[in-house]
Amino acid sequence: MIEKNPRMYGRLIQAIRPVLVRHYGRERADEILCAAEPVYDRFLVETPSIGGSKNKMNKSLEMALPFFAIYEASGRSLTEEMVDEMMDVVMVSRYRRIGRVLNMNRLDKPWIRRLAYRFARRIADEINAHRGKDWNNTWGIQINPEGHDHGLAVTLVGCPLADFAKAHGYMEIMPWLCGTDEKAASALHARLIRHHTVAQGHETCDYWFVGDKDTSAR
């Protein structure tokens, strides 16, 4: 079971309501949002905890469940365009603000790369120690398993979002959610090079971030 975060849920609903109003009209949008909350509450009970605030990757699951609830409450009528707009409001826009001061074209400066990997390994070690135990099916993390000599690369093993979507019959919208990673990378002046995801039926999702001025990496 996942503990409800009313503040997060309220902010998310407030942010995406205008998107629903644009596409459905005010009355239907409010009907969807009203119907979504009990669905969301049920999903919280049904979903294994992945460590809550102790897990630095928990927010991805915490923010995805309301989208699944709204998808269900809408009669599964959300389109890719709607989900893309909602994700832009709640996630990508935040990365754009970060991108004003963080430019990932600087990733290949040796000291920045060392610092980034040191931080990533610290998170990976903590999460991997709990995976399959008290943090259930949280993502596992492999640091640069293919040995890329530039950029920043991690591989995520398994995916609680895909597990949830598969269990509830929502796999059709997983590519829309996964596509947000590329848009977030672009906001940080980076390219995400990815060859497979769990949502596509693989065991892992690969992430290789390189600066958007780097045209050599494929």
Side-chain angles (χ1 to χ4, degrees):
M1 175 177 175
I2 296 179
E3 185 176 347
K4 188 172 185 176
N5 183 338
R7 186 177 182 185
M8 182 281 299
Y9 182 79
R11 285 181 173 177
L12 188 147
I13 295 303
Q14 183 179 25
I16 66 177
R17 181 178 178 274
V19 176
L20 294 176
V21 169
R22 277 199 302 275
H23 288 276
Y24 289 103
R26 182 171 296 137
E27 183 176 352
R28 177 56 180 153
D30 288 340
E31 286 176 357
I32 291 171
L33 293 176
C34 183
E37 187 160 12
V39 177
Y40 171 63
D41 290 341
R42 173 167 58 85
F43 287 168
L44 292 174
V45 173
E46 295 173 354
T47 306
S49 169
I50 62 169
S53 60
K54 295 179 181 179
N55 184 346
K56 291 180 174 58
M57 296 192 67
N58 178 69
K59 190 170 288 294
S60 294
L61 177 60
E62 192 177 56
M63 292 183 65
L65 291 182
F67 281 94
F68 288 124
I70 292 168
Y71 183 61
E72 181 64 35
S74 74
R76 305 193 181 196
S77 65
L78 295 183
T79 65
E80 182 175 4
E81 178 188 2
M82 295 179 200
V83 172
D84 189 60
E85 288 180 26
M86 289 189 284
M87 293 300 290
D88 187 85
V89 169
V90 302
M91 180 178 169
V92 179
S93 60
R94 186 170 70 240
Y95 283 97
R96 287 197 195 97
R97 290 193 293 272
I98 297 172
R100 294 171 188 166
V101 295
L102 176 63
N103 189 327
M104 293 187 75
N105 285 291
R106 303 189 184 100
L107 269 178
D108 289 327
K109 290 187 177 182
W111 71 270
I112 292 179
R113 197 163 183 264
R114 285 196 301 269
L115 186 64
Y117 273 127
R118 189 180 307 147
F119 179 70
R121 287 190 181 94
R122 190 180 307 136
I123 294 175
D125 289 345
E126 180 179 18
I127 290 177
N128 291 339
H130 290 274
R131 185 171 188 258
K133 300 173 185 175
D134 53 328
W135 290 4
N136 296 297
N137 64 333
T138 186
W139 293 267
I141 304 177
Q142 299 173 348
I143 303 299
N144 195 15
E146 296 182 354
H148 295 298
D149 61 3
H150 66 290
L152 181 65
V154 298
T155 292
L156 300 185
V157 182
C159 176
L161 271 65
D163 292 343
F164 179 92
K166 186 174 182 179
H168 291 80
Y170 300 145
M171 287 300 288
E172 66 271 16
I173 69 171
M174 279 302 298
W176 307 346
L177 299 179
C178 295
T180 304
D181 294 333
E182 295 181 6
K183 298 177 179 68
S186 179
L188 298 176
H189 313 284
R191 285 194 300 129
L192 170 58
I193 300 172
R194 171 187 279 165
H195 299 108
H196 54 267
T197 66
V198 175
Q200 294 170 329
H202 297 270
E203 294 295 321
T204 62
C205 299
D206 60 332
Y207 292 75
W208 182 19
F209 296 99
V210 299
D212 58 11
K213 294 181 181 179
D214 183 344
T215 58
S216 63
R218 293 288 184 271

